[in-house]
Amino acid sequence: MSTGLRLVIFDVDGTLVDSQGDIIAAMTLAFEAVGLPVPERNAILGIVGLSLDVAMARLAPDADHLRMVAAYKDAYIALRAQTGAAQSSPLYPGARETLARLNAQPDTLLGVATGKSKRGLDKLIEAHDLEGLFVTQQVADFHPSKPHPSMILQAMTDAGTEPAGTVMIGDTSFDMEMAAAAGVHGFGVSWGYHPISALRAARKVVTDFDDLEAALDDHWRAFP
């Protein structure tokens, strides 16, 4: 039986915040740590959203992935310490306002499903004063990498919602494929790290946060 609740799950990097500067810099240092040439920018951005071990395996199949992951994490922490999370991973225009408006709706719950670690997500939420917004926070520490549906399935369990009342918002093909695997609708965003052409599994692709709110309103009318 339907609970009447709606759950909107957000990806983080490339969807809520633009962290590509630190991601590329940290990945550069990770490749230098094992003496390998650094991949092109688009190749690095193409793996954003995957768990780090899976991302490293895709970018450098024959490398020492454990060493690369450790080097990446150390570099990312150091880079973030230099400027602070709010500056190095700024919210996209309209993100904060949209989150606040959705959170104010009595039947709408918010969640996060990200390839970040719990520590990284906690620091980002604290830096942007987003505490208390997300009733469920799914991170790479406790799940298989996207596009496995585990994060969304656990988020729905936490929130007490059903697939028909759940939407996944993300910028990558991994997010949209994860949504499809979990049996929920996925909305792609155009401002992130994967081209729109890669978001083939998306029900809809939106161009800004105002467009996202309108798309959600239309969706809930079609799937009350």
Side-chain angles (χ1 to χ4, degrees), residues 41-199:
R41 181 186 190 88
N42 286 344
I44 295 174
L45 293 180
I47 53 81
V48 174
L50 296 174
S51 299
L52 273 177
D53 56 340
V54 176
M56 295 304 185
R58 289 201 179 189
L59 289 173
D62 300 321
D64 183 343
H65 302 140
L66 291 178
R67 185 179 175 190
M68 293 181 74
V69 167
Y72 179 96
K73 289 181 176 179
D74 289 345
Y76 201 91
I77 291 170
L79 289 164
R80 177 147 295 175
Q82 292 175 11
T83 57
Q87 289 72 37
S88 62
S89 295
L91 288 163
Y92 283 104
R96 183 184 301 279
E97 295 80 4
T98 296
L99 290 173
R101 285 192 292 268
L102 291 174
N103 188 56
Q105 298 175 6
D107 56 353
T108 300
L109 304 174
L110 302 181
V112 165
T114 176
K116 284 183 173 300
S117 67
K118 184 179 186 302
R119 178 174 64 174
L121 179 62
D122 288 347
K123 288 185 176 297
L124 190 67
I125 287 175
E126 179 183 7
H128 285 295
D129 297 320
L130 301 177
E131 293 95 336
L133 277 181
F134 304 109
V135 302
T136 179
Q137 300 175 22
Q138 306 305 320
V139 295
D141 307 60
F142 311 120
H143 295 279
S145 179
K146 298 176 182 180
H148 192 284
S150 175
M151 289 188 186
I152 293 179
L153 297 177
Q154 184 60 53
M156 289 191 292
T157 297
D158 290 352
T161 58
E162 299 175 353
T166 302
V167 173
M168 176 70 205
I169 313 296
D171 69 303
T172 72
S173 60
F174 312 128
D175 296 314
M176 299 302 98
E177 291 164 8
M178 177 175 65
V184 309
H185 290 299
F187 284 13
V189 304
S190 66
W191 56 80
Y193 303 152
H194 279 196
I196 293 175
S197 60
L199 307 179

